[in-house]
Amino acid sequence: MNHLSDPFLNEYLDGALSPQERSQIQSHLDTCAACRSRLEQLESLFRTLSALPEETPSSGLLPAIVSQIRPSTPINRWMLVLALQSVAAAALILVILPSLVELNFIFPPNWSQTDLPSINLPSLGMELYALPAMFEQLLNFSFTIPSTPDIDLTFFSGFQDSFVEMLPQTSILLLTGSAILAAFAANFFLLFRAKSEKDEI
Amino acid sequence: MKDKAFIMDLRKDNKVDFNELVRLHQTGVFNVALRMLGNRQDAEDATQETFLRALRFLHRYDPQRPASPWLKKIAAHICLNRLERRQPLLLDCDDERTLPSSDPLPETHVQEHDKNQAVRAALLRLPPRYRVMIELRHFQELSYSEIAAELDRPLSDVKSDLFRARQMLAQYLKDVI
């Protein structure tokens, strides 16, 4: 008589055999005392493992785990703040800056080398349309003044007058820009700190 | 399902519910670690690591399922990694302390406590890859295919390792069972 193999008995007890295979094994076990004995030994091992009681962890485990969780600094909240401030800053630049250009607040007529297109506020499309002209003026401004050896005195005198007139507006612009940059820097710092705390966990 | 509510709250960064989740499942997770690592201090360290990792990978949890099996599987992985890092020492000093001698156990009546200690010690004598098989099959009641998926091993390896692990355990515990 062929006996059942040990791996086969293992799979039988683990319920990993097909109904047909199980039926064959049961038929064999009915007639084979040796295989029944081996199966009982294996079942005894299963029972011994199942009977292993659970032990209780120390009372300090829960506080120890919880203490490792830092106060909630959800990264998503910072992301949201950063995103909102970025949108606000972008909107500020898009709306205010071209408007100031259009109102000759930043670039008075005597600075202009090209005419700005007409802008109907608050049309964002028109403001976007005005941006290239604004940048073109900025480029003209920065390259013309320091690099021209033969300075156009007419232009220069106009610049001096305009600069004096422009001073408060320029200061406002610089302050606004600095505030926006500072806000970005602060947000990135907070974002980095929040992320670092998450990573440590 | 209570676990589902906890996990959903946790995803909203609710620290209070994390405490409750730990309170409910710390014993189960601790016992996985104790069976696999063999001493209480290591088991508590692994339990802490399990919950912190669970918190970190909360997005991978399926709220439709109970949390306990998920946490225990994380614990088994953590313990297996720790055991494999210990190689080739296999056993540290604490494990030695809990191991039975190689001499047969006394023929006299074995107290229940001693029997349990013997079973724990026998588990610790298994190589890590066999130990995790016994843990996942007998204590976490995973099927062959679930174990294969969990450990990323072929089904044939799972069957042969489990068979070999049981043979070794039967040998170590022949005077107990």
Side-chain angles (χ1 to χ4, degrees):
Chain A
M1 174 187 272
N2 288 331
H3 292 294
L4 299 170
S5 71
D6 284 333
F8 213 40
L9 285 176
N10 274 265
E11 290 184 44
Y12 173 72
L13 283 185
D14 284 326
L17 298 177
S18 67
Q20 190 182 356
E21 288 171 323
R22 289 188 65 83
S23 175
Q24 286 173 355
I25 286 188
Q26 279 158 357
S27 300
H28 178 85
L29 289 171
D30 287 342
T31 57
C32 179
C35 286
R36 268 203 311 276
S37 172
R38 285 164 50 229
L39 183 70
E40 283 165 8
Q41 286 175 357
L42 196 55
E43 283 176 325
S44 177
L45 175 64
F46 279 36
R47 281 195 300 273
T48 301
L49 290 171
S50 301
L52 191 65
E54 290 208 318
E55 294 204 6
T56 309
S58 72
S59 58
L61 181 59
L62 175 63
I65 295 171
V66 172
S67 70
Q68 292 194 42
I69 310 299
R70 300 283 183 85
S72 179
T73 50
I75 195 166
N76 289 341
R77 197 175 301 165
W78 293 115
M79 290 289 279
L80 185 64
V81 170
L82 181 66
L84 286 175
Q85 293 204 1
S86 303
V87 169
L92 192 71
I93 291 167
L94 280 174
V95 172
I96 301 295
L97 209 57
S99 306
L100 294 178
V101 171
E102 187 209 19
L103 297 171
N104 296 324
F105 196 69
I106 296 177
F107 301 106
N110 55 347
W111 278 26
S112 297
Q113 295 180 12
T114 57
D115 289 327
L116 284 172
S118 169
I119 299 170
N120 299 317
L121 291 176
S123 165
L124 185 61
M126 289 302 289
E127 289 166 6
L128 287 173
Y129 178 65
L131 279 178
M134 189 186 76
F135 286 123
E136 187 186 340
Q137 289 200 1
L138 281 173
L139 285 174
N140 287 337
F141 172 76
S142 58
F143 282 111
T144 304
I145 300 302
S147 62
T148 307
D150 302 320
I151 296 172
D152 181 345
L153 291 177
T154 311
F155 178 82
F156 188 66
S157 61
F159 168 73
Q160 277 185 316
D161 293 342
S162 302
F163 186 78
V164 174
E165 290 170 10
M166 282 274 301
L167 204 54
Q169 292 88 333
T170 308
S171 303
I172 291 168
L173 193 66
L174 286 173
L175 281 172
T176 308
S178 303
I180 291 171
L181 283 175
F184 271 116
N187 273 296
F188 276 116
F189 170 74
L190 292 171
L191 186 68
F192 178 76
R193 198 180 66 170
K195 188 175 185 309
S196 300
E197 285 176 358
K198 287 275 176 182
D199 287 345
E200 282 172 23
I201 289 172
Chain B
M1 191 189 300
K2 211 172 181 183
D3 285 340
K4 181 181 175 182
F6 283 144
I7 298 287
M8 296 313 281
D9 281 347
L10 272 174
R11 287 181 175 173
K12 299 172 189 166
D13 280 311
N14 190 332
K15 187 180 173 185
V16 176
D17 284 331
F18 183 74
N19 297 1
E20 187 63 9
L21 191 80
V22 175
R23 193 185 63 75
L24 279 176
H25 296 293
Q26 61 172 339
T27 301
V29 171
F30 169 76
N31 275 276
V32 172
L34 186 60
R35 285 188 294 266
M36 288 194 67
L37 299 176
N39 73 76
R40 295 182 65 90
Q41 186 55 55
D42 283 352
E44 293 201 353
D45 288 348
T47 304
Q48 288 189 34
E49 190 180 341
T50 299
F51 281 105
L52 296 178
R53 193 176 293 186
L55 186 63
R56 194 168 184 172
F57 295 103
L58 214 54
H59 57 282
R60 294 187 187 171
Y61 171 69
D62 177 3
Q64 304 305 320
R65 295 166 181 248
S68 179
W70 179 61
L71 292 167
K72 286 180 177 179
K73 280 189 276 189
I74 294 174
H77 274 288
I78 287 172
C79 293
L80 182 61
N81 288 340
R82 287 182 172 215
L83 290 169
E84 286 175 342
R85 281 203 301 270
R86 276 189 206 170
Q87 293 280 17
L89 294 174
L90 274 179
L91 304 169
D92 63 18
C93 296
D94 291 326
D95 292 337
E96 290 279 5
R97 189 187 56 204
T98 54
L99 275 178
S101 68
S102 54
D103 301 330
L105 289 168
E107 293 291 331
T108 54
H109 177 67
V110 178
Q111 297 292 325
E112 200 63 25
H113 175 75
D114 292 342
K115 182 178 176 180
N116 292 333
Q117 288 300 100
V119 172
R120 290 186 187 282
L123 286 171
L124 295 179
R125 292 177 71 177
L126 294 176
R129 60 181 285 189
Y130 292 166
R131 211 181 301 177
V132 75
M133 290 291 169
I134 295 293
E135 172 60 38
L136 293 178
R137 178 70 196 112
H138 285 274
F139 296 102
Q140 301 191 26
E141 299 179 345
L142 301 191
S143 67
Y144 289 170
S145 55
E146 286 171 328
I147 295 172
E150 197 59 40
L151 299 177
D152 196 21
R153 301 260 299 275
L155 196 62
S156 56
D157 279 12
V158 173
K159 288 180 184 178
S160 62
D161 281 5
L162 193 54
F163 170 65
R164 184 82 186 105
R166 285 167 176 165
Q167 271 192 328
M168 293 172 80
L169 277 181
Q171 177 66 25
Y172 299 149
L173 295 170
K174 63 178 184 284
D175 296 320
V176 176
I177 58 177

